[in-house]
Amino acid sequence: MTCCREIVSIHLGNAGIKSGSTYWDLITLEHDIQKDGSLLIDESNEALSSKREEENLNSLFFETNNKYTPRCLFIDSGEESINTIRNTNPDFYLNEQFISLNNYNSFKTGREELLDSSLDKIRKLVENCSGFEGFLIYNSISGGTGSVYGSLLLERLSEEFGKKSKVNFTIFPTRNELKANPLHVFNSIMYTYYHNEHTDASVVFSNDALKEICHSSLKIENPSHSVYNQLIAQAVSSTTIGLRKKSAVLLENLDSFRTSLIPFPTLQYLSCSYSPFISSLQTHQFTLQEMFQSCLNGESCLTTRNLQTGCYLSMILILRGDSYTPAKFNFNFNRARRVVRPRFVDMPNFASFNCCLDYHSPKVIVGGDLAKVSDSVFAVSNNTSVLELFNNIRLECDKLNNERKEYFRDLIKKQCTIEVDEFNEAIGNLDDLVEDCLEIERNINEDEES
């Protein structure tokens, strides 16, 4: 298997930048990369030497002068989030990795000039790859930069880089956030419209689900976005572990997200669960069966708490840590499955379930809110319950059309160059996505009844 699979990461907007920065902090701990980008080297440490042989750092980092730098860009409409990352890690990132769009927040304003500036830097990163594979994109679908600028950038990336894979890590707003700001509704609809056409897969995080995990698992009543970012980082780290190893586990390249998890092109939004999430102040230890059950029943899902109301089209389970053998993995998973009784859609010619073990224990952010654990379970799945998030967007759109129709139409005209008919097409695409999920659920319900 080739190790020359190089990926460019793009962090868009405040949410994409801050969650992404937390992720880079976490995986530098996993790979023993120090704050200045240099590798921790101890030739007398056989475990570390063996670990180095397994690693494929060049997939996400580039090396200069014996230092590793993330192959990424941070793009935002203002300077605040960019300066926070730049000042916190002055020896880790390069100045040219940061792009400020000068308060860009519209589909109209200076789009070509600003897109060209970003694409110039993206091209330079790609040109320095010997085996460029595609993009990982981090953003929120409701903000100006992450959604609006992100939509236009996705389109240009498709034009310039053809069929190179694009996988998103996308944060969805809460229902209350949608209610509070009509612009969030518009941005979410338009980003979904562009995403469906120009992205291969998206791992979805919901602020509602993140908040619930903080309440129920971490016992944090008023969590900050810093805590949310730590939760997201754990999930993204587990998602990308196959990309960062020579002897790949699963999801060993970007195309495998599509081939392993997405049986139908329209159903490309993936849920993810991670267990255990334990507060640094707690001492409870989870059994392996408890971790599996938490991932299957939605308690530790970062997308939606209602996994059991939906159907699984596919799932990949990754057990991290060295406490359990494959036999114990299978035994405990089967026990958890009998308790939770998840519903899987049986599809010919598509392997809907895969699992693997990674024998390295997960890390946590030093001084953060999560306790260090020796083992964890991560699940990324294609589950129809994701339709809940799109229903929230659709319901708020209907409410605006009914109660504030003229205001909403004026908002659309101000924000973009598209006509109302084209916006309605975007809504129609959202409805089609929801209907596809509902049809699968209806079919499996009929099968169960018969």
Side-chain angles (χ1 to χ4, degrees):
M1 182 179 294
T2 179
C3 292
C4 238
R5 46 179 194 270
E6 293 152 310
I7 296 163
V8 171
S9 300
I10 302 174
H11 302 275
L12 297 169
N14 183 61
I17 286 175
K18 291 186 175 177
S19 63
S21 172
T22 306
Y23 163 71
W24 289 114
D25 289 345
L26 181 61
I27 67 168
T28 55
L29 292 172
E30 292 185 8
H31 291 290
D32 299 294
I33 298 174
Q34 301 179 90
K35 289 189 175 182
D36 63 352
S38 61
L39 284 178
L40 176 64
I41 297 175
D42 183 357
E43 294 179 358
S44 65
N45 187 329
E46 292 184 7
L48 181 59
S49 299
S50 175
K51 181 182 171 184
R52 284 276 175 259
E53 292 178 3
E54 295 179 17
E55 292 175 333
N56 180 29
L57 292 179
N58 290 332
S59 63
L60 297 180
F61 295 84
F62 61 87
E63 184 183 4
T64 52
N65 300 320
N66 296 318
K67 292 186 177 182
Y68 284 88
T69 302
R71 189 183 296 106
C72 70
L73 288 175
F74 296 96
I75 304 174
D76 200 4
S77 59
E79 296 282 351
E80 183 179 352
S81 60
I82 284 177
N83 286 338
T84 299
I85 306 305
R86 195 195 325 242
N87 295 335
T88 304
N89 303 277
D91 298 322
F92 190 47
Y93 299 107
L94 307 176
N95 283 332
E96 55 265 31
Q97 291 180 272
F98 299 93
I99 301 175
S100 174
L101 303 175
N102 297 317
N103 295 313
Y104 179 95
N105 62 1
S106 167
F107 271 78
K108 291 181 177 179
T109 310
R111 54 183 284 181
E112 294 303 326
E113 180 183 345
L114 291 169
L115 285 168
D116 288 341
S117 172
S118 296
L119 282 164
D120 284 343
K121 294 197 174 186
I122 292 170
R123 284 189 205 102
K124 289 178 182 178
L125 288 175
V126 172
E127 288 166 0
N128 287 327
C129 296
S130 57
F132 173 64
E133 185 183 0
F135 301 95
L136 291 175
I137 300 165
Y138 302 71
N139 70 322
S140 163
I141 73 163
S142 60
T145 308
S147 176
V148 180
Y149 188 79
S151 300
L152 303 174
L153 185 60
L154 283 176
E155 185 178 45
R156 288 290 295 272
L157 291 176
S158 292
E159 292 172 1
E160 181 138 351
F161 297 98
K163 295 184 177 180
K164 292 295 184 182
S165 297
K166 294 185 287 295
V167 174
N168 275 45
F169 294 102
T170 303
I171 302 170
F172 274 56
T174 67
R175 183 78 184 271
N176 286 336
E177 288 168 341
L178 291 170
K179 289 179 180 178
N181 191 338
L183 192 56
H184 287 342
V185 178
F186 170 79
N187 288 345
S188 298
I189 290 171
M190 290 310 302
Y191 186 80
T192 304
Y193 183 51
Y194 278 79
H195 177 283
N196 290 347
E197 184 174 354
H198 298 294
T199 306
D200 298 288
S202 186
V203 180
V204 174
F205 303 95
S206 158
N207 280 338
D208 276 323
L210 295 170
K211 186 175 183 179
E212 187 60 35
I213 289 173
C214 290
H215 288 171
S216 60
S217 298
L218 302 182
K219 311 304 179 187
I220 299 175
E221 190 61 33
N222 297 303
S224 66
H225 283 281
S226 172
V227 185
Y228 290 177
N229 292 336
Q230 291 173 60
L231 303 180
I232 292 171
Q234 294 298 141
V236 178
S237 166
S238 295
T239 308
T240 61
I241 193 168
L243 304 173
R244 298 181 274 123
K245 286 182 175 287
K246 294 176 182 176
S247 53
V249 217
L250 285 170
L251 300 177
E252 70 277 11
N253 55 56
L254 293 183
D255 193 50
S256 65
F257 283 79
R258 179 181 57 82
T259 58
S260 300
L261 290 163
I262 301 173
F264 310 114
T266 54
L267 301 178
Q268 55 186 255
Y269 295 90
L270 305 175
S271 302
C272 63
S273 301
Y274 181 97
S275 182
F277 282 125
I278 304 175
S279 166
S280 55
L281 302 177
Q282 293 173 285
T283 57
H284 175 71
Q285 295 298 312
F286 280 68
T287 67
L288 183 55
Q289 182 180 338
E290 287 175 328
M291 288 189 275
F292 280 135
Q293 287 178 199
S294 179
C295 285
L296 292 173
N297 65 19
E299 287 180 4
S300 63
C301 183
L302 293 84
T303 309
T304 170
R305 305 282 287 185
N306 298 318
L307 285 181
Q308 288 182 279
T309 65
C311 310
Y312 286 100
L313 283 72
S314 60
M315 175 188 285
I316 286 177
L317 266 178
I318 300 175
L319 172 60
R320 302 181 69 178
D322 60 1
S323 301
Y324 300 101
T325 63
K328 288 184 178 180
F329 179 105
N330 291 330
F331 176 78
N332 283 278
F333 175 72
N334 287 330
R335 289 185 65 178
R337 189 168 178 175
R338 285 194 293 270
V339 173
V340 179
R341 299 179 65 84
R343 299 187 297 170
F344 279 85
V345 179
D346 186 19
M347 289 175 291
N349 305 316
F350 188 82
S352 60
F353 178 78
N354 289 284
C355 59
C356 66
L357 280 73
D358 172 58
Y359 290 104
H360 298 291
S361 296
K363 303 285 188 179
V364 294
I365 296 294
V366 177
D369 298 272
L370 302 180
K372 185 176 181 180
V373 295
S374 56
D375 303 274
S376 69
V377 171
F378 173 73
V380 57
S381 62
N382 199 326
N383 188 298
T384 57
S385 63
V386 76
L387 69 84
E388 173 192 339
L389 304 181
F390 297 104
N391 269 334
N392 288 343
I393 297 169
R394 190 67 176 91
L395 288 170
E396 288 307 315
C397 179
D398 287 344
K399 187 175 179 181
L400 285 167
N401 271 327
N402 292 332
E403 299 176 5
R404 304 171 68 184
K405 186 172 184 178
E406 293 304 318
Y407 168 80
F408 195 44
R409 287 295 181 261
D410 288 343
L411 176 67
I412 294 169
K413 292 176 183 178
K414 289 177 182 177
Q415 287 298 314
C416 64
T417 57
I418 66 171
E419 299 296 329
V420 170
D421 286 346
E422 291 179 282
F423 180 71
N424 288 336
E425 182 181 345
I427 294 175
N429 280 4
L430 194 66
D431 290 341
D432 290 342
L433 174 63
V434 171
E435 181 56 33
D436 286 344
C437 292
L438 290 173
E439 183 178 359
I440 290 169
E441 291 184 359
R442 284 194 294 267
N443 289 339
I444 199 169
N445 287 335
E446 290 173 2
D447 290 342
E448 288 175 346
E449 290 172 2
S450 61

